[in-house]
Amino acid sequence: MKKILVLLEHKQNRYLLSCSLQEAGYEIFYPSANDDLLKLDNYLNLDNSFDLCILGPRALDKFSEWVEATKKAEEPVFLPFLLMTSRTDVKMVTRHLWKIIDELITNPIEKIELQVRIEALLQRRQLSLKLKAANDNLRNLNELKSRFISVASHEFRNPLHIILAYSQMLYRGSEKLSPEKKQELFGRIKASSSKMTNTLDDVLTLTKGELAQQKCNLQLLDLPEFCRQLIVEIQVGAVTNHQINFTIQGEYQKAYLDENLLRQILTNLLTNAIKYSPLNSKVDFDLIFQNTEIIFKIKDNGIGIPLKDQPYLFESFRRASNVGKIPGTGLGLAIVKQSVDLHGGNIAVDTEVGIGTTFNVTLPFIDTIDR
């Protein structure tokens, strides 16, 4: 609903105009009829947002600096101020008119004309708000594109160099290489290609909105066994010797979850915990069964996340400012968040720089579904 602030000096006029505008469907707020408008400096300093201000000549004369500052604070969005005055009072406020007033109405005026002119001002404001939203969206897209280019240049350069180098070794010296060495080089080329493919798949999944449009394919899972197998896969693929301590708490029962989405969640969180922790350190992974919820708790003793980066934690291509040369795309946590949302769950983080990070993923416990 469009909000209008009424600052007319005459209390009765203030009240009558407000009643008329409320009948027309606007949300109106104004000083009490018992208040002296010209003594209400504190009232104007309150955080009362509005879409249009209607004021009289004496209010404009007294509060002209406030009007100018308020309009400036809203820029580039248009915030209209309408002056209602008599013809005899126009000269008194002439110095303010062309600087800060967007519409002048002289009394008396027909009710229908007043409403039309008010609606015209409000429509201009709505168009201004839409234009700002479009510009903000365009700015966000440009920023996203810049972050993607930055990520792509870092994440694709090393695998491409590896593929090129090993391909040249195989091409130039294949006769001198043993079958075992050839197999090793082919394996490294394949691993680098897979890394690039996985990165591109993550980018396409998020940018095309495929994950957000996906529906949960609920399956009855043995969660302890699922988690144990996942840990083995992650530790086999890891190049470091991090220890994952897995515990189960609460009364174990099978539950219906989406296996693919759950794999996305846990794989990203566990690999991040390993990636950002000291060599050979431990990662705690707790599976907690509660009456109506299942909690997956993953705790590391890594670098932590700076406070300034935490509001952007689940945005695509965002990485913390303290990651240094640790590789990454900034896509993992965005995928985790969407996967958790699709389950109707929530994710919370507790982190401190230099101490570590704990992620708590809470998903609804479903032990039966209608077929």
Side-chain angles (χ1 to χ4, degrees), residues 121-147:
L121 288 171
L122 290 171
Q123 287 182 5
R124 286 178 59 190
R125 174 164 173 80
Q126 292 304 308
L127 288 173
S128 177
L129 287 168
K130 289 179 180 178
L131 181 60
K132 181 179 183 300
N135 286 335
D136 289 345
N137 187 48
L138 181 60
R139 190 180 301 110
N140 290 336
L141 288 174
N142 285 332
E143 183 181 347
L144 189 65
K145 181 181 70 174
S146 298
R147 294 206 300 267

Side-chain angles (χ1 to χ4, degrees), residues 154-215:
H154 285 84
E155 291 302 307
F156 293 159
R157 185 181 289 117
N158 286 339
L160 284 171
H161 284 172
I162 291 172
I163 292 170
L164 179 61
Y166 291 150
S167 297
Q168 289 176 340
M169 289 176 64
L170 288 167
Y171 176 73
R172 294 175 180 175
S174 61
E175 295 179 356
K176 301 177 182 179
L177 298 174
S178 66
E180 293 77 12
K181 187 63 177 179
K182 289 181 182 179
Q183 190 66 31
E184 178 188 343
L185 296 180
F186 279 125
R188 294 185 179 182
I189 290 173
K190 182 179 178 181
S192 296
S193 300
S194 297
K195 180 179 179 181
M196 293 176 62
T197 300
N198 291 336
T199 299
L200 282 172
D201 286 343
D202 287 345
V203 171
L204 292 172
T205 295
L206 287 171
T207 55
K208 291 168 64 177
E210 291 177 357
L211 189 57
Q213 296 172 9
Q214 184 176 330
K215 293 183 179 180

